[in-house]
Amino acid sequence: MNAELSKNFGKIIIEFRKEKKISQEELGFRSNLHRTYIGMIERGEKNITLENIDKLSKGLDVSMKLIFEKLNKLIIIWKNIFLKNL
Amino acid sequence: MNAELSKNFGKIIIEFRKEKKISQEELGFRSNLHRTYIGMIERGEKNITLENIDKLSKGLDVSMKLIFEKLNKLIIIWKNIFLKNL
DNA sequence: CTCATACTACATACTATAGTTAGCATATTA
DNA sequence: TAATATGCTAACTATAGTATGTAGTATGAG
């Protein structure tokens, strides 16, 4: 599993959730996913599927496009940090 | 499984692949995924994971952001067709 | 402060299903 | 018609999805 990718994805989800000021449990309700599963995703412990990305985006009331826009930006930032340390 | 979502995703992948003028097999090589798996994804038979979305995007040399931008647009089109038939 | 409440982390464990491959059928095209 | 590309079935194995329970942490009211 690509842990780095999942972790970055988790960070994005946390960011959006905090923005909406809701708990993992509340996000679970809204996206029809279990409370602990949300936690796992946020900690980057699971390689989420397309269907659940869609559910999360609906629960967070943001488009998948926006999620991946942020994710791509985050990945680029990480890449640059990595390259600087070569 | 959300078949509609997977099918729409598959259509996007086909679109990008044809744009690059490569076969499923070639895309398989480039993204490090099996030929038949690419076929399944394009036919919307599998609920793909984030990791493999990432692999595909690299094999197709496009950003995930762009994939989901197109996917969101396609979903909106499908929604409108659905609403018109109410 | 301190107690209660809400929130999150984490460790299992189970069951669904994604990921992977082989093989053969069926187009498609040169 | 030979070569190339795709569809599809079937099987296996890896792991995502789901849930319970417990422990720890943060926060706010009294």
Side-chain angles (χ1 to χ4, degrees):
Chain A
M1 193 182 105
N2 187 339
E4 213 56 57
L5 180 63
S6 293
K7 277 183 191 170
N8 283 328
F9 185 85
K11 282 176 193 156
I12 303 296
I13 297 304
I14 293 175
E15 203 175 312
F16 276 119
R17 181 172 62 80
K18 298 250 156 126
E19 215 170 77
K20 307 281 170 182
K21 296 188 204 306
I22 58 175
S23 69
Q24 290 180 346
E25 191 162 20
E26 177 59 26
L27 178 55
F29 285 133
R30 295 189 190 185
S31 49
N32 206 30
L33 292 166
H34 200 274
R35 169 179 73 78
T36 57
Y37 180 63
I38 303 287
M40 290 173 177
I41 292 300
E42 289 190 349
R43 274 174 269 129
E45 293 174 4
K46 290 282 180 179
N47 178 20
I48 193 170
T49 58
L50 180 60
E51 183 169 2
N52 281 353
I53 294 171
D54 186 51
K55 284 185 183 176
L56 271 183
S57 82
K58 280 166 182 160
L60 288 167
D61 195 33
V62 296
S63 67
M64 290 193 285
K65 173 192 164 184
L66 188 54
I67 290 175
F68 281 90
E69 197 170 320
K70 285 212 179 190
L71 183 57
N72 272 138
K73 276 182 193 166
L74 193 56
I75 289 169
I76 289 166
I77 290 168
W78 276 97
K79 254 190 211 164
N80 287 339
I81 291 170
F82 175 73
L83 289 173
K84 270 183 197 162
N85 293 327
L86 284 182
Chain B
M1 194 182 104
N2 188 339
E4 212 55 57
L5 179 63
S6 293
K7 278 183 190 168
N8 283 329
F9 185 85
K11 281 175 194 158
I12 303 296
I13 298 303
I14 293 174
E15 203 175 311
F16 277 118
R17 180 171 62 80
K18 298 251 156 122
E19 216 169 77
K20 307 280 170 181
K21 297 190 203 306
I22 58 174
S23 68
Q24 290 180 347
E25 192 162 20
E26 177 59 26
L27 178 54
F29 285 132
R30 296 190 189 185
S31 49
N32 205 30
L33 292 167
H34 201 274
R35 170 181 76 77
T36 56
Y37 180 64
I38 304 286
M40 290 174 178
I41 292 300
E42 289 191 348
R43 275 174 268 126
E45 292 174 6
K46 289 281 180 181
N47 178 20
I48 192 170
T49 58
L50 180 60
E51 183 169 2
N52 281 353
I53 294 170
D54 186 51
K55 284 185 183 175
L56 272 183
S57 83
K58 280 166 181 161
L60 288 167
D61 194 33
V62 295
S63 66
M64 291 194 285
K65 174 192 164 183
L66 188 54
I67 290 176
F68 281 90
E69 196 170 321
K70 286 212 179 188
L71 183 57
N72 272 138
K73 276 181 193 165
L74 194 56
I75 288 170
I76 289 166
I77 290 168
W78 275 99
K79 254 191 209 164
N80 287 337
I81 291 169
F82 175 73
L83 290 173
K84 269 183 196 161
N85 293 326
L86 284 183

